[in-house]
Amino acid sequence: MRLRALALTALAAAAASVTPVPAFAQHVRRRLTDADYARAERLLGYNTSKLVFGTSVRPTWLPGDRFWYRNAIPEGFEFVLVDPARKTRERAFDQVKLAAALSSAADTTYDPYHLPFGTFQFTPEERGITFDVGRKHWTCDFGADRCTSETRQRSAAPPNSVLSPDSTKAAFIRDWNLWVKDLRTGQETRLTTDGVENYGYATDNAGWIKSDSPILLWSPDSKKIATFQQDQRHDGMMYLVRTEIGHPVLEAWPYPLPGDSVITMIHRVVIDLDGPRVVRLQMPPDQHRSTLCDDVACGFGPGREWDDVYWSPDSKRLVFVSTARNHQKETVRVADAETGAVHDVFTETTDTWLESGYNHVNWQPLWATNQFIWYSEKSNWGMLYLYDLGDGHLVRPITTGDWDVLQVLRVDEPSRTIWFTAAGKEPGDPYFQHFYSVHFDGGDLRLLTPDSANHQITLAPDGRFFLDSWSTPVTPPVTDLRTADGRLVMTVQRSDISRLVAAGWKPPIPFTVKARDDSTELYGLMFRPTNFDPARRYPVVDNDYPGPQTGSVGTRSWVPARGDAQSLAELGFIVVQLDAMGTPMRSHAFMAKWYGDMGDNGLPDQVTGIRQLAARYPWMDTTRIGIYGHSGGGFSSADAMFRYPDFFKVGVSEAGNHDNRNYEDDWGEKWQGLLVRYPNGTTSYDNQANELIARNLKGHLLLAYGTTDDNVTPYPTLLVVDSLIAANKDFDLLALPNRRHGFGMEPYMIRRRWDYFVRYLMGAQPPHEYLMHPPAPERRGG
């Protein structure tokens, strides 16, 4: 039912449907069929990935720098063993014989190239392998061609625990306190006693992300734990309701917002297991912030490691960084683990924000020389610097230039050498990541990956070798093995995409346009139907993500599908992904273009970029332009419909943070700044609030959200809904019951998105309730 002011009481039913056809589409010339949608579906990732082989090498390293990896081949999967010393690449074991032995022992039939495990361990002297399938632990002897099993032993470690470096202990949370279990004896010891609800130890809750695992850092000798007591007792709460048969289920947890007078604070502590004894660091509580992301642990998954904290090798000192609430001040500090005494070493400030790298914390101490490596964009580019850890004075810059260090992957103190990735230093696409080494004194800067491509690096544990998987958006990966100084040892794997090409796949088209300033170069990808006809005029769809932490294009490596961009194009659209100003991997000024004005969202660049492309390519129809995106892209797509209503005619906005005053505090306060309330009742956040400009809507807008999205909650979307109703605007709304944040590639959402653009931008009729057929999740033991 079409949503009008009196229709919102039906919101929980979820989906709106038929709307009047716009003037430019009233002459429906075609009806798309199930076959059209099926052809588009064949280009989604779950179909294209089955047609490519040898595109990924994820090594499991063995002694002597050997490694094995699981490789996709037309028959299924093979296990490959690589020996750098011998420069050999061969099957890790005879899969045909193993499948026969396992089938006999398990009284079932296993295909040699669809074995029921994805990982294994060699037995001593590599005369066999062990692996897990379901509840059984198997051992297969190569010499005897025989497999035996035993009941799989449960891990002695408690769920959601963090193992000590010596693997003899596991730390875990119980009743807001930190405990440790001795895995040899089974004894559990309570390490803290004063933890209470919302004032517990090692708590993992940043509002937008949370888990039951502790956030902590074990000392190298496994005798101490660095962590914090997290104070959320007076934080504002977030509430969601899960739909059930019968009574609904309420979810409630601390979730601070920008401008809150009280937000999460952490009291840093060191816990000595001997006693146990809790040593509180002698300093005020810190903001719940990091130098990199909007959390204190920037990884994902269980047991996320505490970032910005390092132990000394002797387990006697800690060095860490305290980050200000608005990310404009960072202070390097050293603490005595025995006494809790804290010494401030160094401080950097800025008027925008500070970061320690691109998706990676790049600063770290050099204990042998009492120095530290620091990452800073103070020159407008992300560079490395060497500082003294005693008094904080600058020793020297390590890197210089108009390019960006991205990730420090290895530091070798004896040779005083750093290995790192960087972008923008070599000719060509400035987003291509290359691998380099440099000495601490800035000398002997070496390019280790010569091919003009995007390089994904995996280092051997001892650093003597690295795997370099290089590709571009249009050329598939080649994986080379190189020595630490860049010499080619061997090519490990070449991709085979012949079946994908035979199925009709075509690569995206890279392009460049000028930014809003008419001088800065912007980069993007364009997707056309595989049956493209230059004599036709195609409606254009902008697939947008505004940043600031990433852009619309994403990785510059080759992938068989980029979301549903090519699939949507296959229906008869030109789809564009453009990295606008305000996104990373360029200069700080480029990324900070709209700092404090998140409502900009890079949209001036999207508009001018599409206009330039249309002037270049007459088959792009600028009277029919749409836009869609998820999360930050949901924010920008609705924003585009309100700010440029005569340019963007159709929009699909999913899970958008439409007003960052209703999104987690760390995000808005980093990119928009601290909330300022003015005497006239306005605020410093009004320029980014979509609900304040929703009255400008002219075209067709579909808003979608998950009713239990605990990242970007439903409430920013509902603010926009309320404003659209107040302005008497027609729009469409899709509420997905009990969905979290990642529903954007759910088949139903994809189909509704395609239908929306087909109906209102193309002016055609979509097939009725086309049913997609994603594969069932792969089931595998181990």
Side-chain angles (χ1 to χ4, degrees):
M1 184 173 64
R2 188 62 177 162
L3 285 176
R4 298 181 186 275
L6 297 179
L8 265 196
T9 54
L11 189 151
S17 57
V18 180
T19 52
V21 178
F24 65 81
Q26 286 179 356
H27 51 292
V28 176
R29 293 186 298 272
R30 60 182 295 214
R31 177 186 295 271
L32 271 66
T33 66
D34 281 2
D36 294 321
Y37 269 49
R39 190 175 65 253
E41 186 184 5
R42 285 197 291 270
L43 294 171
L44 290 174
Y46 57 73
N47 286 318
T48 57
S49 61
K50 296 182 295 186
L51 302 177
V52 299
F53 310 103
T55 59
S56 177
V57 176
R58 298 180 180 178
T60 297
W61 295 95
L62 303 170
D65 290 315
R66 295 177 306 139
F67 63 90
W68 66 262
Y69 67 98
R70 184 172 182 256
N71 183 46
I73 57 177
E75 297 85 354
F77 293 92
E78 64 175 350
F79 293 90
V80 179
L81 179 65
V82 177
D83 187 336
R86 296 168 51 218
K87 297 184 180 181
T88 58
R89 176 193 183 278
E90 58 192 4
R91 289 275 171 84
F93 50 86
D94 189 324
Q95 294 182 209
V96 173
K97 288 185 176 181
L98 188 139
L102 183 60
S103 297
S104 176
D107 193 23
T108 188
T109 300
Y110 288 113
D111 182 274
Y113 304 108
H114 293 88
L115 293 169
F117 57 88
T119 186
F120 68 88
Q121 290 183 319
F122 280 112
T123 60
E125 300 182 9
E126 299 183 5
R127 295 178 178 175
I129 62 171
T130 66
F131 52 87
D132 294 324
V133 179
R135 296 182 178 180
K136 290 187 176 182
H137 179 72
W138 288 89
T139 300
C140 292
D141 187 305
F142 297 155
D145 290 333
R146 182 170 61 92
C147 296
T148 58
S149 69
E150 59 185 3
T151 301
R152 185 177 180 181
Q153 298 296 315
R154 291 186 177 182
S155 172
N160 303 309
S161 60
V162 178
L163 286 177
S164 60
D166 63 8
S167 299
T168 64
K169 294 176 280 291
F172 64 97
I173 295 171
R174 178 183 292 159
D175 297 329
W176 302 96
N177 283 287
L178 197 63
W179 292 64
V180 70
K181 181 177 180 178
D182 189 314
L183 302 182
R184 298 161 297 184
T185 66
Q187 181 181 352
E188 296 182 349
T189 302
R190 184 173 180 172
L191 301 179
T192 65
T193 60
D194 59 338
V196 296
E197 184 176 6
N198 294 328
Y199 192 33
Y201 285 88
T203 305
D204 183 7
N205 178 22
W208 69 279
I209 187 172
K210 58 188 185 298
S211 80
D212 294 326
S213 297
I215 294 178
L216 53 82
L217 190 67
W218 281 93
S219 63
D221 63 6
S222 299
K223 296 180 179 179
K224 299 184 183 73
I225 293 173
T227 186
F228 49 83
Q229 188 174 13
Q230 182 158 300
D231 192 354
Q232 295 186 300
R233 291 172 294 177
H234 305 292
D235 285 4
M237 299 293 287
M238 185 58 66
Y239 303 96
L240 294 173
V241 176
R242 176 170 291 274
T243 301
E244 304 282 358
I245 296 175
H247 294 287
V249 177
L250 176 68
E251 298 180 39
W253 73 101
Y255 188 115
L257 299 173
D260 284 357
S261 59
V262 177
I263 64 169
T264 305
M265 305 294 287
I266 60 173
H267 300 254
R268 298 178 184 266
V269 301
V270 172
I271 301 174
D272 190 333
L273 272 61
D274 186 12
R277 181 171 66 100
V278 177
V279 178
R280 292 188 174 270
L281 299 196
Q282 299 173 22
M283 58 177 288
D286 256 336
Q287 303 285 339
H288 188 274
R289 298 289 188 264
S290 75
T291 65
L292 184 65
C293 70
D294 41 350
D295 198 354
V296 295
C298 297
F300 291 93
R304 299 185 300 141
E305 190 168 282
W306 193 10
D307 285 311
D308 293 320
V309 183
Y310 295 91
W311 278 100
S312 62
D314 61 8
S315 301
K316 292 182 178 180
R317 290 186 294 165
L318 285 171
V319 62
F320 60 94
V321 172
S322 298
T323 297
R325 177 169 176 168
N326 61 1
H327 291 266
Q328 292 184 354
K329 179 181 179 182
E330 288 174 350
T331 303
V332 178
R333 292 172 161 147
V334 177
D336 186 309
E338 292 294 322
T339 67
V342 176
H343 167 58
D344 288 2
V345 174
F346 165 83
T347 296
E348 182 174 355
T349 61
T350 186
D351 57 0
T352 52
W353 70 84
L354 296 167
E355 282 191 321
S356 60
Y358 176 69
N359 294 334
H360 187 81
V361 173
N362 284 326
W363 78 271
Q364 66 178 81
L366 305 170
W367 295 106
T369 55
N370 202 39
Q371 296 171 321
F372 66 97
I373 296 168
W374 186 248
Y375 174 95
S376 175
E377 296 177 333
K378 62 184 179 181
S379 71
N380 194 37
W381 300 91
M383 292 288 122
L384 300 177
Y385 300 83
L386 185 65
Y387 282 88
D388 185 90
L389 192 55
D391 60 15
H393 77 267
L394 175 64
V395 178
R396 67 179 64 89
I398 299 174
T399 60
T400 58
D402 294 349
W403 47 276
D404 276 322
V405 171
L406 299 177
Q407 298 184 354
V408 173
L409 298 185
R410 182 169 184 255
V411 174
D412 183 57
E413 289 196 62
S415 67
R416 296 183 68 78
T417 305
I418 304 170
W419 286 262
F420 63 94
T421 61
K425 190 176 188 304
E426 308 306 319
D429 191 324
Y431 292 93
F432 283 172
Q433 300 183 35
H434 287 269
F435 194 43
Y436 301 85
S437 65
V438 67
H439 289 165
F440 287 6
D441 63 5
D444 198 23
L445 175 62
R446 293 188 185 184
L447 171 66
L448 306 177
T449 51
D451 300 281
S452 181
N454 198 59
H455 296 263
Q456 296 179 316
I457 305 300
T458 306
L459 282 163
D462 62 7
R464 294 179 60 236
F465 298 92
F466 67 88
L467 282 167
D468 171 23
S469 180
W470 53 276
S471 64
T472 74
V474 302
T475 55
V478 174
T479 301
D480 291 332
L481 180 67
R482 294 181 177 272
T483 59
D485 59 2
R487 287 178 290 116
L488 179 65
V489 178
M490 60 187 294
T491 294
V492 172
Q493 189 68 54
R494 292 185 183 274
S495 301
D496 176 5
I497 66 168
S498 57
R499 291 192 181 186
L500 181 65
V501 174
W505 177 89
K506 295 185 185 303
I509 301 171
F511 66 83
T512 59
V513 292
K514 297 297 184 183
R516 67 188 78 182
D517 60 8
D518 202 31
S519 62
T520 304
E521 206 81 11
L522 301 179
Y523 294 76
L525 296 176
M526 179 190 300
F527 303 81
R528 303 187 307 191
T530 58
N531 59 357
F532 172 74
D533 180 358
R536 287 181 55 187
R537 284 176 60 78
Y538 292 88
V540 179
V541 180
D542 188 354
N543 178 201
D544 185 43
Y545 191 90
Q549 87 289 15
T550 188
S552 302
V553 174
T555 180
R556 259 56 183 192
S557 294
W558 186 91
V559 290
R562 293 178 179 268
D564 68 336
Q566 183 60 58
S567 296
L568 181 59
E570 193 68 6
L571 296 177
F573 298 95
I574 302 299
V575 178
V576 172
Q577 295 174 341
L578 173 65
D579 282 346
M581 300 184 84
T583 55
M585 298 180 66
R586 305 286 290 273
S587 69
H588 184 81
F590 182 97
M591 188 176 178
K593 178 65 178 179
W594 37 270
Y595 171 78
D597 183 13
M598 293 180 74
D600 179 289
N601 268 320
L603 293 172
D605 299 316
Q606 300 291 338
V607 171
T608 187
I610 291 173
R611 284 175 172 159
Q612 291 172 55
L613 290 172
R616 197 178 304 168
Y617 304 117
W619 30 262
M620 294 178 67
D621 185 352
T622 56
T623 68
R624 295 183 292 168
I625 299 176
I627 187 169
Y628 75 104
H630 191 90
S631 193
F635 173 31
S636 63
S637 55
D639 190 18
M641 296 295 291
F642 304 151
R643 292 182 189 269
Y644 299 91
D646 296 318
F647 187 81
F648 293 104
K649 305 298 175 55
V650 180
V652 178
S653 166
E654 305 163 10
N657 50 313
H658 300 283
D659 186 338
N660 287 283
R661 288 172 293 190
N662 276 49
Y663 187 44
E664 55 108 355
D665 62 313
D666 202 346
W667 182 262
E669 292 183 345
K670 181 176 183 178
W671 308 118
Q672 182 74 12
L674 298 178
L675 179 66
V676 179
R677 295 179 174 87
Y678 302 117
N680 64 359
T682 62
T683 78
S684 59
Y685 274 56
D686 290 358
N687 61 5
Q688 56 80 57
N690 274 351
E691 74 272 14
L692 298 183
I693 54 174
R695 63 184 180 275
N696 298 333
L697 178 66
K698 293 182 180 180
H700 287 260
L701 175 63
L702 171 61
L703 297 165
Y705 69 92
T707 64
T708 54
D709 187 338
D710 55 356
N711 180 348
V712 180
T713 64
Y715 309 116
T717 297
L718 295 179
L719 288 174
V720 174
V721 168
D722 194 38
S723 291
L724 289 169
I725 292 169
N728 196 34
K729 294 293 182 178
D730 288 343
F731 61 99
D732 291 289
L733 185 64
L734 177 59
L736 294 149
N738 300 336
R739 299 319 197 272
R740 297 297 191 187
H741 192 56
F743 62 83
M745 290 302 289
E746 183 177 319
Y748 184 77
M749 185 69 245
I750 295 174
R751 196 267 292 174
R752 291 298 304 273
R753 186 164 60 236
W754 293 0
D755 287 355
Y756 209 73
F757 286 121
V758 166
R759 180 176 287 117
Y760 299 119
L761 193 63
M762 182 182 290
Q765 185 67 31
H768 180 65
E769 295 181 354
Y770 175 79
L771 181 63
M772 293 190 174
H773 299 88
E778 180 183 1
R779 298 185 65 183
R780 188 172 68 229

